[in-house]
Amino acid sequence: MALTRNILDLRKRKQTIEKGGGDKAIQKQVSMGKLTARERILAIVDEDSFNEYDMFVEHQARDFDMDKKVLHGDGVITGTGTIFGRPVCIYAQDFTVAGGSLGLMHARKITKMMDHALKLRVPLIGINDSGGARIQEGVNSLAGYGEIFFRNTLASGVIPQLSVILGPCAGGAVYSPALTDFVFVVENISKMFITGPEVIKTVLGEEISMEDLGGAKVHSEITGNAHFYALSEKECFKQIKELLSFIPWNNGEKARSYPAKKPKRGYKIQNIVPNDPSQPYDVRDVIKSLVDESYFFEVMEKFAPNIVIGFGRLEGDTIGFIANQPKYLAGVLDCDSSDKAARFIRYCDAFNIPIITLEDMPGYLPGVDQEHMGVIRHGAKILYSYSEATVPKITVVLRKAYGGGYIAMNSRHLRADFMFSWPNAEIAVMGPEGAANIIFRKEIMNAEDPDKMRKLKVKEYKEKFANPYVAAAKGYIDSVIEPEETRKTLIHAVNVSKNKHDGRPKKKHGLPPF
Amino acid sequence: MTKEKKKRNKSLIVSGQKFYTQLTPKFESRTAWEKANPKHLRAIIPGNIEDIVAVEKKRYKKGDVLLTFKAMKMLNTVLMPFSGVVKKIHVKKGDVLTKNQLMVEIE
């Protein structure tokens, strides 16, 4: 029967295409410790849920003998599937086909998926493993990149966009991940840079390995380009799913709710924060003592560790946490930490995730390098993001809130909904020592024993001003609470804010200090 | 509680108060600021020396060409910023320079 013959022919065609660049190329991919593009997609989506499209797409390049070359799927696999039973759009570049190089049709397959994801209001997951532009296709490959970047921008803030870097991602290609919400990298496998080690060597004579220039560690610790770092692809896929469990499928929805669970008993909130404001502790322990099952899913763990960002749940609902981390750099705000927190605040705001801020911060990091790097405009980003955000915004002052930092960390003045403070908190224009030195300068200078007088005046200032009651007396703090009441108070605050409705003046867009 | 390798805390002064905390590698590897010396001409971007016109110990007027420097596929002429004597030329034709590398010293 003709139909049978046609079906057999279809199967044969599919089989050939599914081989990608062929056995030899697949062997090479495997020998580099990498999974194939198809294996990656199948490992991420629910079993039997992947539907591939544009399998039979062929490239249209004619120059440089390209017309004689067959590139299966044009080096990229695209399709839809489900994760937790909910739809996603996904694509994976296939390094075994012409090094995963991006030509026009390759890009068109990706942009078709992006258009689908945006119309269907579902997350887009892009797996990058590509040598870069397909040089033989010239300006057409540039067109391809541009069309991807444009769609990344259109979809930004509407659907979640996840970039998974599982191989090289160099030159212009890096800008698609940079425009997306979350970037995942894997040790020894991910490599991202604008100009590679070869170019740097010829132009500058500087020798550097790919790993040292743009490896997974570099982007997780130094540049801040990556949000999640994993030791293996398997761990990376687990992180992707965990992230998706915390976020909504689009900006018109709320994140999925889970059954409410209590925090683990090991975290004793009243014992974590030392009374002495100069002593460090790990603020993540405070978060863990508040959230369901003490489970905190941290974002950008290694970059700017002086601020902690991530997701946790309160009675089953997703919350975005932002917390100063006294363990590193005393929890100051600086260029990097402001940048890190500001982007996360905007993410939560775009996707209807309430924000809880845990504050314990001495101010902005002093230094010429900070000033010259532009701590003014970077620091302004955090003010901008908090002010702009209209999701429920709740702050707990754990220990100290001095100066500009007090204003920046979601203060009442930036329209926080609820401001709580622990009783030991110091909320003041600056630290007691600095303040006493200025206010009582004359008394200290003219005293017989200036040191003794200084100590006396610092003590006096501390008693009078370094507490939460001055701010509470003015209504800047709504309630002073005991540490053990914090979870209960926060759950109540989030629950009463469920139907929060707040707006900002209509505008084309604001001008955040990029 | 979160368990990690114990690292020694160092002190950091912010807003006139001393805090005990860990320093990040990025913070510790920051470079100290130095005032720029107008008598030192440095490469403002990486590139290489195409040609050297200037001669050591010779007097030049403001605006005289000292050397040409190729960077990002562009030829740039480096001019004498003020009248004076070239004390030392630290580069030679063909040299590949990194950003901030000293090219010419003026007396």
Side-chain angles (χ1 to χ4, degrees), chain B residues 59-94:
Chain B
R59 177 169 287 277
Y60 290 91
K61 282 204 302 288
K62 181 182 175 179
D64 284 349
V65 175
L66 300 180
L67 53 86
T68 46
F69 172 69
K70 194 175 174 184
M72 290 308 289
K73 304 171 187 91
M74 290 276 287
L75 277 177
N76 306 277
T77 45
V78 174
L79 309 176
M80 195 71 178
F82 46 83
S83 300
V85 175
V86 167
K87 188 176 168 191
K88 195 166 165 53
I89 299 168
H90 290 265
V91 290
K92 55 184 190 301
K93 200 174 159 179

Side-chain angles (χ1 to χ4, degrees), chain A residues 270-345:
Chain A
Q270 66 277 21
N271 297 337
I272 299 167
V273 180
N275 247 331
D276 177 353
S278 72
Q279 290 304 316
Y281 62 94
D282 192 340
V283 78
R284 289 173 296 192
D285 290 334
V286 178
I287 301 175
K288 286 175 190 168
S289 68
L290 294 172
V291 293
D292 290 11
E293 285 189 286
S294 298
Y295 185 62
F296 177 55
F297 186 57
E298 191 171 353
V299 179
M300 294 180 108
E301 189 184 336
K302 302 273 186 203
F303 177 72
N306 39 322
I307 204 151
V308 168
I309 58 172
F311 301 105
R313 293 191 183 92
L314 283 182
E315 293 214 309
D317 289 332
T318 298
I319 306 289
F321 283 91
I322 292 142
N324 305 116
Q325 173 61 294
K327 187 176 167 189
Y328 292 102
L329 294 177
V332 291
L333 282 178
D334 58 1
C335 295
D336 285 347
S337 67
S338 304
D339 204 72
K340 172 177 166 181
R343 183 117 198 271
F344 186 69
I345 295 161

